[in-house]
Amino acid sequence: MKILIKNVRIFDPASGIDEEGDVFIKNGIVSKKKEETRNIIEGKGLYLFPAFIDIHTHIREPGGEDVENFESASKAAVAGGYSTIFMMPNTEPPIDNDGMVRFVVKRARDVGLVKIYPVGAATIGRRGERLTDMRAMIQCGCIGFSDDGSPVKNPRILRRILEYLKGTGIKFIEHPEDPELSSDGSMNEGSLSNKLGVPGIPWVSEASVVIRDILIAEYLSSPIHFAHISTEASLDLIQFGRKRGVKITFEVTPHHLLLDEDNVKITDSNFKMNPPLRSKRDRKALIKALKKGFVNAIATDHAPHPLYKKELEFSLAPFGVIGLETAFSTLYTEFVRKGVIGLNELIEYMSVKPAGIFDLKTGMVRDGAPADFVLIDLKKKWKITEDRFHSLSRNSPFLGWDVYGRVVYTIVEGKVVYKEGD
Amino acid sequence: MERFKQKHLLGIEELSRDEIDSILDTAIIMKSVLERRIKKVPTLRGITVANLFFEPSTRTLNSFLIAERRLSADTINVSKSFSSVLKGETLLDTARNLEAMRVDMVVIRHSVPCSPHYLAERISASVINAGDGAHEHPTQALLDMLTLREKFGNIEGLKVSIIGDILHSRVARSLTIGLLKKGADVILCGPPTFLPEWFEDYGVKITYNLKDAIVDRDVIYVLRIQRERQDTAFLPSLREYIRYYSVNRDVLNRYARKDVIIMHPGPVNRGVELAPDVADGPWSLILHQVTNGIAVRMAILYLLSGIGSSGGVE
């Protein structure tokens, strides 16, 4: 299997390359030595980036196959330029044993479009009581552990999880939230939620768990990864922890970077997610952290829900928005084109850095490197509309946005898995 | 009278000062109907109003029903316990079904904040908010403003204190917005768990001290305390609340002006937020509020129906 990509703008922050040229791929890896092939992609006008890696995706299979299954999630991922996604374990039943891990690995391989790594539940049933068989799950392909959707409420159990993972090289991913403080909230707590009479989720609900976890991780000399950090206080606490030598990594989502509570339309639950859209001040702090290189990854928290549920009244609708197919274009349009961050930084946050957290190899334009690439037409403008999505769900807060940057090809292990218009 | 342009009554937030005045002016005309021997006019003949009450309510529902009947509208009632809601039907489906039956106006009481706004975006009937969670209760605020206007002639410059569980109160929010739009001075008072500082963003003074909310005020507006609040740690006990926030004769004698007015949206927890002799005393306008509730709701129904002529009201 050979592909020759011709006249493409090669843009690879990991190798420091930004030049027009050809890329030759053979048997899934980049090869310096070009060979004859009729399999040619004309790359004129396109950028070639290492394909994106999403370390936080919700696929609803098993339990919600009609909402997002392995086929639809894979199609959405490659349409968004991703070669690799992490699947969070809060399915029904959850991924809390090695049999379930095997199931995910097999289903992902059967579909064969995108690399899907299962994140296992850290506790059985995600109930925060008993540890899962983590060693067996790692052996079957688990990339990390998390009770995402819920925090590990009991600090003693969290301690045991971090301890048990020592020496495995596998990270625990915390969903930082105190459910007692979040209570029945459905948007950020503040002046706006108070005015609307909507129960709020206070920032301290996130930050109080962040600091608890940092201290436990420090005590055990264990690394820890935080999912979807959304508040200024959490960022300050992470800085504090890093100063004390704790190995902390964390991700932020496109929606927390691009939207805040003032964007919430209270009659439209596509603006309801957990953590909620925070204050302007929090959003500014996230952007500042992004500019400083303080953030480790941008992850979508892609959370599909069916229309009949998202169509409910705000307080009754489920939390979550989809993100795989809009992440690059929205961030490129709002941040790169407006000079907030550079193109190389965006690519690093969406590809190189998340790979680094979990010791994965990304696509690189270097002899012998894996051929995971995305080809994007940065000049192409398009409108985010419901009919564009390959996901089975439509719950995006970016509907109606005009954005730049259209994925034209996605190549995973040397195979074209997405071509625009096909 | 200038033509009323709103299609829905979602909240006081959405009303201009002039619109509030025009509702109150209309309500005064409606009130004259209530004083007649035959208390019915044909104004809304042929108009169908659905009352969707998904929360228990006696007073507001009956007030709307009487208002609708006084105006000769046809009415149907849908309550949570007798509707398809129990069979899993969504609010939107319930409303769309009513619309398919050619209902013209929907009065909705729902525990979810902004559910009337949600409906108004999705159906073509006029939507009247009869209370949405802790968000707004516009007809209550309007009937309160009518009561104040009757008593004082003018709301501008009035010193009003609202006391109690401000946090969970849609009445407090709607009334505060309305009073501020009409130029009144508002103090909100309650224990700190019921009074987050965000309320200052409305442009009102907040206090945790009952005395500060009583001294030199024209109107003391007392809110109902829900007994379950002690189970969710908002209150240590009712005993403690009564001791520091109950409006009783002793507190009034010590701190209040002689001509102070007491109001309450009902139903009163006698002996909790309000002492019985205060509720029934000469200060109290509570029963006037109830009567005005019907007049205000008639005015709203009439104005939103878009029927230009006064239809025999005047």
Side-chain angles (χ1 to χ4, degrees):
Chain A
M1 184 66 183
K2 298 177 231 174
I3 304 175
L4 178 64
I5 308 167
K6 286 179 75 174
N7 308 314
V8 75
R9 177 81 172 266
I10 303 164
F11 192 96
D12 177 12
S15 336
I17 303 172
D18 178 8
E19 62 191 28
E20 198 171 301
D22 299 349
V23 176
F24 180 68
I25 299 164
K26 188 182 175 186
N27 299 327
I29 55 175
V30 177
S31 171
K32 230 176 177 175
K33 231 177 77 199
K34 270 186 232 173
E35 293 171 24
E36 277 296 309
T37 176
R38 292 164 65 188
N39 216 350
I40 293 171
I41 292 175
E42 178 52 54
K44 193 84 193 157
L46 303 179
Y47 272 74
L48 178 141
F49 303 118
F52 307 135
I53 294 178
D54 188 35
I55 57 174
H56 200 128
T57 300
H58 294 275
I59 300 174
R60 303 301 190 191
E61 181 177 344
E65 290 82 350
D66 54 333
V67 178
E68 196 82 290
N69 53 43
F70 284 92
E71 282 82 4
S72 64
S74 300
K75 283 181 193 161
V78 296
Y82 289 90
S83 66
T84 306
I85 57 177
F86 287 15
M87 174 177 175
M88 301 314 274
N90 61 335
T91 44
E92 280 293 333
I95 309 172
D96 64 355
N97 59 66
D98 43 309
M100 282 296 296
V101 176
R102 277 181 215 275
F103 166 77
V104 172
V105 171
K106 183 175 184 311
R107 285 289 284 125
R109 204 166 37 216
D110 289 350
V111 176
L113 289 176
V114 62
K115 291 182 256 190
I116 301 178
Y117 290 101
V119 172
T123 66
I124 292 170
R126 298 172 46 252
R127 282 191 295 273
E129 292 159 6
R130 292 174 54 200
L131 270 56
T132 50
D133 289 352
M134 294 198 271
R135 295 278 286 273
M137 291 164 77
I138 292 169
Q139 208 176 358
C140 294
C142 243
I143 190 85
F145 289 93
S146 178
D147 279 356
D148 184 62
S150 314
V152 174
K153 218 175 149 183
N154 182 335
R156 179 171 50 82
I157 302 296
L158 175 67
R159 171 192 177 152
R160 297 300 176 220
I161 293 165
L162 295 181
E163 273 177 333
Y164 194 76
L165 285 173
K166 274 175 183 253
T168 61
I170 297 289
K171 282 196 175 75
F172 172 72
I173 301 167
E174 179 69 293
H175 165 110
E177 180 188 18
D178 186 328
E180 294 291 343
L181 285 171
S182 294
S183 189
D184 56 349
S186 52
M187 66 180 288
N188 185 47
E189 184 169 274
S191 192
L192 191 64
S193 70
N194 187 58
K195 201 161 186 200
L196 293 168
V198 174
I201 300 175
W203 59 256
V204 68
S205 169
E206 174 179 297
S208 61
V209 173
V210 165
I211 189 61
R212 179 200 74 166
D213 285 19
I214 287 173
L215 294 175
I216 292 173
E218 175 178 354
Y219 185 70
L220 299 168
S221 307
S222 289
I224 188 154
H225 179 83
F226 290 111
H228 42 60
I229 287 296
S230 68
T231 75
E232 182 189 44
S234 299
L235 295 170
D236 287 348
L237 294 167
I238 288 166
Q239 189 166 31
F240 164 83
R242 283 180 178 167
K243 261 190 204 150
R244 291 176 68 88
V246 190
K247 287 199 182 68
I248 306 164
T249 51
F250 71 97
E251 71 207 30
V252 296
T253 72
H255 47 272
H256 290 112
L257 288 166
L258 295 167
L259 303 167
D260 56 55
E261 60 183 351
D262 290 340
N263 299 104
V264 171
K265 196 166 169 258
I266 201 66
T267 51
D268 181 354
S269 80
N270 284 341
F271 294 92
K272 179 178 175 180
M273 65 290 276
N274 191 17
L277 297 177
R278 297 288 187 185
S279 67
K280 274 222 151 42
R281 182 179 164 149
D282 287 315
R283 182 159 84 98
K284 274 188 190 149
L286 292 181
I287 293 171
K288 199 174 152 200
L290 199 71
K291 290 170 79 166
K292 278 197 312 192
F294 187 74
V295 176
N296 299 96
I298 293 173
T300 65
D301 196 4
H302 180 85
H305 290 291
L307 181 64
Y308 71 86
K309 282 192 180 162
K310 280 306 240 187
E311 212 181 37
L312 292 171
E313 304 91 297
F314 203 84
S315 307
L316 304 178
F319 289 102
V321 295
I322 56 172
L324 287 171
E325 295 173 76
T326 52
F328 176 81
S329 303
T330 50
L331 290 165
Y332 172 71
T333 305
E334 293 300 312
F335 285 173
V336 178
R337 280 179 63 97
K338 293 180 181 170
V340 179
I341 58 172
L343 183 59
N344 58 330
E345 291 168 281
L346 180 59
I347 301 304
E348 284 187 349
Y349 279 130
M350 292 188 66
S351 177
V352 183
K353 288 186 170 186
I357 304 172
F358 294 94
D359 295 324
L360 298 174
K361 283 195 179 122
T362 54
M364 267 201 281
V365 190
R366 190 192 294 162
D367 198 33
D372 291 352
F373 298 120
V374 55
L375 274 67
I376 296 184
D377 182 350
L378 290 181
K379 292 207 181 89
K380 189 153 182 186
K381 195 173 166 185
W382 60 288
K383 196 185 235 358
I384 300 174
T385 50
E386 296 193 355
D387 57 328
R388 291 272 191 180
F389 292 121
H390 296 76
S391 167
L392 286 178
S393 294
R394 305 279 177 267
N395 50 312
S396 167
F398 300 114
L399 288 172
W401 281 38
D402 288 310
V403 289
Y404 287 90
R406 192 81 192 140
V407 174
V408 182
Y409 291 95
T410 304
I411 297 166
V412 176
E413 292 179 340
K415 201 175 94 186
V416 175
V417 289
Y418 175 79
K419 183 168 182 275
E420 195 202 8
D422 273 6
Chain B
M1 197 182 302
E2 206 184 308
R3 189 74 183 271
F4 191 76
K5 301 236 170 51
Q6 300 266 358
K7 186 183 173 196
H8 311 286
L9 179 70
L10 301 176
I12 301 294
E13 177 79 32
E14 284 81 4
L15 297 177
S16 69
R17 191 190 164 105
D18 286 347
E19 284 167 332
I20 293 173
D21 283 336
S22 107
I23 293 169
L24 299 185
D25 292 342
T26 311
I28 286 167
I29 300 167
M30 292 298 173
K31 206 171 169 183
S32 69
V33 173
L34 296 175
E35 309 299 333
R36 297 179 194 166
R37 201 172 64 82
I38 307 288
K39 301 179 185 58
K40 197 173 178 106
V41 286
T43 317
L44 294 191
R45 209 164 46 188
I47 300 278
T48 307
V49 184
N51 300 298
L52 266 61
F53 276 63
F54 297 106
E55 260 188 353
S57 160
T58 315
R59 186 173 314 228
T60 306
L61 175 58
N62 284 335
S63 181
F64 266 107
L65 272 174
I66 292 173
E68 289 153 12
R69 287 171 188 168
R70 294 281 182 256
L71 292 171
S72 304
D74 296 317
T75 66
I76 54 163
N77 296 333
V78 180
S79 72
K80 199 175 189 174
S81 44
F82 297 106
S83 70
S84 312
V85 174
L86 285 184
K87 298 176 195 161
E89 189 175 66
T90 64
L91 170 63
L92 188 55
D93 279 336
T94 303
R96 279 181 180 153
N97 275 282
L98 290 169
E99 195 171 40
M101 297 177 206
R102 303 292 180 262
V103 162
D104 301 289
M105 301 172 100
V106 173
V107 178
I108 175 172
R109 151 80 54 106
H110 201 297
S111 61
V112 172
C114 302
S115 39
H117 307 65
Y118 163 92
L119 264 197
E121 284 181 9
R122 291 164 172 84
I123 63 171
S124 61
S126 279
V127 176
I128 298 173
N129 183 356
D132 60 327
H135 181 217
E136 282 232 36
H137 193 352
T139 57
Q140 178 71 45
L142 289 163
L143 73 88
D144 292 332
M145 287 193 277
L146 177 61
T147 308
L148 289 172
R149 202 169 99 169
E150 282 181 339
K151 174 73 191 174
F152 294 97
N154 199 350
I155 294 173
E156 199 176 331
L158 271 186
K159 296 180 197 166
V160 183
S161 292
I162 305 175
I163 298 166
D165 183 356
I166 310 290
L167 176 64
H168 298 98
S169 176
R170 50 189 169 221
V171 177
R173 285 182 178 79
S174 285
L175 186 56
T176 298
I177 299 168
L179 288 174
L180 291 175
K181 283 190 178 175
K182 292 291 293 167
D185 170 81
V186 180
I187 290 179
L188 302 177
C189 173
T193 43
F194 285 160
L195 191 50
E197 279 145 15
W198 294 302
F199 278 101
E200 283 176 346
D201 299 348
Y202 283 85
V204 300
K205 201 182 140 198
I206 68 173
T207 177
Y208 309 134
N209 187 344
L210 183 63
K211 184 185 157 190
D212 296 342
I214 303 279
V215 171
D216 193 33
R217 307 301 286 174
D218 297 306
V219 181
I220 309 291
Y221 195 102
V222 185
L223 298 171
R224 179 181 164 77
I225 294 298
Q226 288 185 339
R227 288 162 188 272
E228 353 29 295
R229 297 295 176 213
Q230 27 185 354
D231 304 331
T232 43
F234 280 100
L235 279 182
S237 66
L238 278 186
R239 174 176 169 265
E240 173 111 339
Y241 183 85
I242 291 163
R243 188 160 185 173
Y244 294 99
Y245 294 100
S246 183
V247 175
N248 55 40
R249 189 179 284 265
D250 178 48
V251 168
L252 292 182
N253 284 343
R254 268 200 284 166
Y255 304 121
R257 288 220 318 250
K258 290 278 167 286
D259 55 351
V260 71
I261 288 304
I262 305 292
M263 294 171 75
H264 190 294
V268 177
N269 273 315
R270 289 174 176 263
V272 182
E273 69 270 7
L274 202 54
D277 54 345
V278 175
D280 302 332
W283 314 274
S284 171
L285 289 184
I286 295 174
L287 293 174
H288 289 79
Q289 291 173 265
V290 177
T291 308
N292 284 342
I294 294 172
V296 155
R297 287 170 182 127
M298 287 170 77
I300 296 293
L301 289 161
Y302 164 68
L303 290 170
L304 294 183
S305 72
I307 289 171
S309 80
S310 56
V313 176
E314 277 162 25

